[in-house]
Amino acid sequence: MRITSVGGGPAGLYAAVLLAQQGHDVTVVERNPAGVTHGWGVVFWEPLLASLRESDPPSAAQIADAAFAWNGQDVDVEGRGRVARPSGGYSISRQRLLDILTARAQELGVRTEFERGVAPGDDLDADLDADLVIAADGVGSAHRRALADDLAPTVDVGTNKYVWLATTKVYTSFLFAFVRSSAGWLWCHAYGYDADHSTFIVECSPETWRGLGLDRMGAAESRELLERLFARHLDGHPLVGLPTDPEAPLPWLEFRTLHCERWWCGRTVLAGDAAHTTHFAIGSGTTLALGDAIALGRALAGVTDAAGLPAALEQYQAERQAALAPSRRDARNSARWLEDLERYIDTDVDSFATLLHRRCSSLLAHLPPTIYVKAREVAERSGAARRVWSQASALRRSALVRRGS
Ligand SMILES: Cc1cc2nc3c(=O)[nH]c(=O)nc-3n(C[C@H](O)[C@H](O)[C@H](O)COP(=O)(O)OP(=O)(O)OC[C@H]3O[C@@H](n4cnc5c(N)ncnc54)[C@H](O)[C@@H]3O)c2cc1C
């Protein structure tokens, strides 16, 4: 079949790799120039590497080589000490990941066309006349919007403000640092992703953002303020990735959580952020985008013409919607926890670190934070109590699933 992947992000490129392996004629069109993307490093965990190894060993080996291993999680609440928690994972520069996938796609015969945005309804575009169009054009997907009546997307806009920056300080542990400003709390999600850089995402409430004047400041002034607020954590290193024009605003955003009732329509199928997003605080969007590509490849195995597409795309949609349910729940709880920070921030720092670590729990919003921490401690000490605790969590989860939330 002739297949066009719109968008050269992780979903579009990896789908191209896997479908070219099956002998399809694949083109990737990407509106950015080669070597240009948004964002910095992204985290992932061992299960992703395992499924990449199964799907395409050569690119998996390169991704594993380029991965930066971080160990442990540090929670620092200003003036109240620091708690280190055992955990660990990997991260990789987004650009490095895309370079690996682009080279692998080209090696398998995929045509990659950069600096070419294609719009739905552009009948003159031969690539959109393919047997299958994979709309992997990110959260703002024009292809999804054009098919909105059939795909029924809904978007939930978070209230917190965030900006995705980087720094030359290399964190070997994942750092959550909370700092108090004259207008309220700000915090960073920071982790190394190569030998010279770390991701440094700053988040705060809209009241803090406006109260500090970040809504009106240009890049130079914002940088000076953020570097001062996080001075202890940046350790003399600069924040990087800001606009070069000192007067230009920083790209602050509110996270948009997207859900689509349907993922395909006619010969267009959604993949990655075009189909769904999960709040960045659970670090799973890239893993899910690659998982979509793997499931799409599996569903299309053996399909040789357009007649076989509806059944295959229906299977892909069902598999991925089911697989995404736990991440959607975790992401929603995690995002709400961070929007509700004032509820937790005044607990002692050990309790705060536990609450932060458990922020995906569906029970947490329904119990006073200190009671939750005590109940967990008891549950961790006693086998019987642990079983009751897991049953309570499972009941809460199934109630949410029944309510469809
Ligand atoms: C602050 C932040 C931190 C994150 N951290 C993590 C993390 O730690 N771990 C993790 O797993 N995920 C993380 N994510 C999520 C992750 O970045 C996305 O889920 C992932 O990039 C989705 O991949 P994608 O291929 O679907 O979309 P994208 O990466 O957005 O790629 C879409 C591509 O389509 C192109 N495009 C758009 N329109 C057109 C068009 N009309 N024609 C041609 N090309 C087009 C775009 O230029 C882009 O290159 C984070 C996200 C944010 C916002």
Side-chain angles (χ1 to χ4, degrees):
M1 285 191 296
R2 212 153 58 76
I3 299 178
T4 298
S5 210
V6 183
L13 284 169
Y14 204 53
V17 165
L18 301 183
L19 294 170
Q21 272 176 355
Q22 293 178 16
H24 296 292
D25 173 7
V26 188
T27 302
V28 174
V29 287
E30 165 56 50
R31 69 180 172 193
N32 284 338
V36 173
T37 190
H38 66 275
W40 304 93
V42 289
V43 295
F44 60 96
W45 285 268
E46 184 57 39
L48 174 67
L49 282 180
S51 62
L52 297 181
R53 278 188 204 106
E54 241 175 67
S55 304
D56 184 52
S59 57
Q62 288 184 46
I63 291 168
D65 276 353
F68 179 95
W70 49 269
N71 282 302
Q73 190 182 83
D74 287 337
V75 180
D76 187 304
V77 183
E78 181 155 284
R80 280 194 264 145
R82 197 171 175 117
V83 176
R85 289 195 142 269
S87 78
Y90 300 99
S91 46
I92 189 168
S93 136
R94 250 181 74 82
Q95 190 59 61
R96 182 83 186 97
L97 174 65
L98 299 184
D99 290 346
I100 291 170
L101 296 181
T102 303
R104 178 64 179 144
Q106 289 168 343
E107 190 178 281
L108 290 165
V110 172
R111 280 180 301 282
T112 48
E113 299 184 7
F114 290 93
E115 296 185 70
R116 193 151 90 77
V118 291
D122 188 352
D123 296 335
L124 296 179
D125 196 309
D127 286 320
L128 289 186
D129 192 29
D131 297 305
L132 179 66
V133 174
I134 303 173
D137 48 346
V139 61
S141 173
H143 293 260
R144 181 192 65 240
R145 274 188 274 122
L147 296 171
D149 286 349
D150 295 290
L151 304 175
T154 47
V155 177
D156 181 16
V157 183
T159 56
N160 279 353
K161 296 283 179 184
Y162 75 88
V163 64
W164 193 351
L165 303 173
T167 172
T168 53
K169 161 94 183 167
V170 179
Y171 300 98
T172 52
S173 309
F174 193 111
L175 172 68
F176 270 121
F178 294 77
V179 298
R180 196 199 288 271
S181 74
S182 55
W185 291 93
L186 296 92
W187 54 99
C188 69
H189 311 232
Y191 45 89
Y193 65 82
D194 66 23
D196 306 309
H197 297 96
S198 296
T199 280
F200 200 93
I201 301 167
V202 179
E203 188 178 357
C204 62
S205 72
E207 293 78 20
T208 300
W209 184 67
R210 273 191 292 274
L212 287 174
L214 284 162
D215 56 334
R216 301 178 298 277
M217 282 179 197
E221 210 183 342
S222 309
R223 172 187 178 152
E224 194 269 321
L225 174 63
L226 294 177
E227 285 179 352
R228 184 155 42 80
L229 286 167
F230 288 99
R232 211 158 46 83
H233 308 287
L234 287 168
D235 209 10
H237 286 264
L239 288 172
V240 296
L242 293 85
T244 43
D245 174 356
E247 298 302 324
L250 287 199
W252 290 96
L253 292 171
E254 289 141 357
F255 194 83
R256 287 182 290 161
T257 300
L258 167 76
H259 170 71
C260 288
E261 283 300 312
R262 296 194 54 73
W263 287 27
W264 70 280
C265 173
R267 54 187 170 160
T268 302
V269 62
L270 304 177
D273 275 13
H276 52 80
T277 58
T278 46
H279 190 268
F280 60 82
I282 67 162
S284 64
T286 307
T287 295
L288 294 172
L290 295 168
D292 289 352
I294 294 170
L296 186 59
R298 214 172 19 238
L300 290 173
V303 176
T304 51
D305 58 30
L309 284 176
L313 299 182
E314 197 62 28
Q315 177 195 326
Y316 159 71
Q317 172 187 294
E319 182 186 328
R320 289 311 285 163
Q321 286 186 337
L324 265 149
S327 303
R328 282 183 64 205
R329 185 198 59 231
D330 288 355
R332 183 191 51 221
N333 290 344
S334 172
R336 278 191 196 150
W337 195 97
L338 289 165
E339 288 178 354
D340 228 0
L341 186 78
E342 295 292 337
R343 185 168 185 256
Y344 308 105
I345 194 82
D346 289 328
T347 51
D348 66 273
V349 70
D350 283 312
S351 300
F352 180 78
T354 301
L355 292 163
L356 176 65
H357 180 64
R358 301 290 312 168
R359 67 191 180 282
C360 296
S361 162
S362 299
L363 276 182
L364 194 43
H366 303 274
L367 288 177
T370 45
I371 304 244
Y372 179 93
V373 172
K374 288 272 171 291
R376 263 214 78 76
E377 281 167 9
V378 173
E380 272 165 16
R381 276 199 299 267
S382 140
R386 194 164 44 236
R387 280 192 296 282
V388 172
W389 181 268
S390 342
Q391 277 162 9
S393 302
L395 278 173
R396 176 79 205 137
R397 270 200 302 276
S398 57
L400 288 174
V401 169
R402 275 200 303 279
R403 276 195 357 230
S405 52

